[in-house]
Amino acid sequence: MKRPSFKTQAFVLRFINYGESDLIVTFFTREFGKLRGIAKGARRSRKRFSNAIEPFSHSILLFSRRGEGGLAIIESCDVINHYPGIRSDLEKTMTASYMIDLVDHFTAEGKKSAGIFQLLDDFLKLLEMGNSVEETARFFELRLLRLSGYEPVFERCVICNTPLSEINTAFFDTTKGGIKCLPCGRGGQNCIPVSTGTLKILLMGKQIETNRIHRLVLSETALKESRDIFRHFIRHILGREPKSLRVLDEIRKMI
Ligand SMILES: [Zn+2]
């Protein structure tokens, strides 16, 4: 019986060599969520997949498979966007690698998430066109957390509900996933000091339309504080730090 074929948009998350000439590729697709497939002969003939199998490449994927959950057979993969503007810049390349690493960690195989697909699509475009690389990464983290059910609380103290507008000194508690005021957070473990200015701009980043996000410019302090908050919070959720983040740290030291 012939296997049914499917067509979907997809981003390449990662791939490994298999046998002498094949690749096992993990995609994040619009219609099928995360999907693993075998690209037969992909290493022998790059032409066959026209270099579509590169990390974070956006393409139209044609695949077949017997039943859900099995390894798909990749029939073809045609590039929609290869992001030359990202690939020509080391910091942007590593930031895009970090973004797909996060998507990989926060999604499950076979579970569709059109929201996260759209987020990745939007933010790779922002990264390609804009110069605010760190801001793009921070707002991506923020929105990915929200879409994954881990939205950090910046609006009020998670213990006593004091609104941010009445808080002068705040801490971010990674285990609670939200801010605490001074009396609730003082001396607490897992509490990172954060200025209210940083929290206010992050709140704006939650709401603002994606095409206006480049207008939000973070100060040095806000960049450092937000970097710390998300790093610790994401490490708390995942139980470890994404590997690509360490590589990104190394790259930043060189720039
Ligand atoms: Zn409080």
Side-chain angles (χ1 to χ4, degrees), residues 121-189:
D121 193 6
D122 290 343
F123 274 70
L124 283 172
K125 284 179 187 144
L126 281 177
L127 193 60
E128 166 99 345
M129 293 181 302
N131 293 317
S132 313
V133 177
E134 274 225 66
E135 279 92 341
T136 306
R138 295 296 83 79
F139 293 127
F140 179 80
E141 290 168 324
L142 178 58
R143 290 175 180 217
L144 179 67
L145 286 166
R146 181 171 61 186
L147 289 167
S148 309
Y150 296 100
E151 180 169 358
V153 178
F154 297 141
E155 294 86 346
R156 56 185 167 76
C157 172
V158 287
I159 304 297
C160 71
N161 284 325
T162 301
L164 176 61
S165 55
E166 293 172 23
I167 295 177
N168 292 320
T169 305
F171 301 89
F172 184 82
D173 185 328
T174 50
T175 55
K176 297 268 186 233
I179 60 160
K180 285 179 173 176
C181 65
L182 182 62
C184 296
R186 185 165 27 204
Q189 274 188 330

Side-chain angles (χ1 to χ4, degrees), residues 72-85:
I73 310 283
I74 310 303
E75 315 273 358
S76 68
C77 194
D78 294 310
V79 177
I80 298 172
N81 197 341
H82 194 247
Y83 300 105

Side-chain angles (χ1 to χ4, degrees):
M1 203 176 83
K2 198 177 175 298
R3 286 184 299 264
S5 287
F6 306 92
K7 196 177 194 178
T8 182
Q9 286 189 39
F11 289 101
V12 173
L13 296 182
R14 60 191 148 90
F15 51 84
I16 51 165
N17 292 341
Y18 182 73
E20 280 186 10
S21 58
D22 306 339
L23 289 174
I24 304 265
V25 191
T26 305
F27 295 95
F28 185 58
T29 69
R30 191 187 283 278
E31 277 87 10
F32 305 89
K34 201 152 73 179
L35 177 137
R36 271 186 324 130
I38 184 161
K40 289 197 178 254
R43 281 155 62 211
R44 201 180 317 130
S45 166
R46 302 294 285 178
K47 242 191 318 190
R48 176 142 184 252
F49 291 100
S50 53
N51 290 326
I53 302 176
E54 296 286 347
F56 62 84
S57 267
H58 185 188
S59 52
I60 298 278
L61 178 67
L62 188 67
F63 71 93
S64 61
R65 67 177 173 187
R66 283 202 180 93
E68 276 183 41
L71 194 66
I73 310 283
I74 310 303
E75 315 273 358
S76 68
C77 194
D78 294 310
V79 177
I80 298 172
N81 197 341
H82 194 247
Y83 300 105
I86 295 180
R87 285 178 213 278
S88 60
D89 180 307
L90 186 57
E91 191 190 8
K92 285 188 177 184
T93 302
M94 292 321 302
T95 301
S97 301
Y98 171 60
M99 282 158 54
I100 55 167
D101 202 2
L102 282 184
V103 167
D104 198 3
H105 276 102
F106 278 92
T107 55
E109 226 166 289
K111 191 165 177 278
K112 180 181 168 177
S113 177
I116 295 179
F117 189 93
Q118 193 58 50
L119 178 80
L120 186 57
D121 193 6
D122 290 343
F123 274 70
L124 283 172
K125 284 179 187 144
L126 281 177
L127 193 60
E128 166 99 345
M129 293 181 302
N131 293 317
S132 313
V133 177
E134 274 225 66
E135 279 92 341
T136 306
R138 295 296 83 79
F139 293 127
F140 179 80
E141 290 168 324
L142 178 58
R143 290 175 180 217
L144 179 67
L145 286 166
R146 181 171 61 186
L147 289 167
S148 309
Y150 296 100
E151 180 169 358
V153 178
F154 297 141
E155 294 86 346
R156 56 185 167 76
C157 172
V158 287
I159 304 297
C160 71
N161 284 325
T162 301
L164 176 61
S165 55
E166 293 172 23
I167 295 177
N168 292 320
T169 305
F171 301 89
F172 184 82
D173 185 328
T174 50
T175 55
K176 297 268 186 233
I179 60 160
K180 285 179 173 176
C181 65
L182 182 62
C184 296
R186 185 165 27 204
Q189 274 188 330
N190 309 307
C191 283
I192 306 163
V194 55
S195 58
T196 52
T198 299
L199 294 169
K200 281 175 189 157
I201 199 157
L202 287 175
L203 273 176
M204 278 190 242
K206 261 194 200 184
Q207 314 297 346
I208 200 167
E209 295 141 71
T210 307
N211 61 2
R212 295 174 64 208
I213 229 166
H214 63 274
R215 296 185 188 184
L216 297 179
V217 179
L218 274 66
S219 65
E220 277 300 316
T221 307
L223 280 176
K224 189 196 170 300
E225 289 180 343
S226 55
R227 200 188 299 139
D228 279 356
I229 288 176
F230 288 116
R231 174 181 292 253
H232 287 91
F233 188 37
I234 288 170
R235 185 161 62 195
H236 172 74
I237 295 165
L238 300 177
R240 63 194 156 111
E241 194 152 81
K243 253 191 227 161
S244 53
L245 193 57
R246 258 170 279 153
V247 183
L248 194 53
D249 286 343
E250 294 300 315
I251 300 293
R252 287 231 178 81
K253 279 183 211 153
M254 288 162 49
I255 296 171

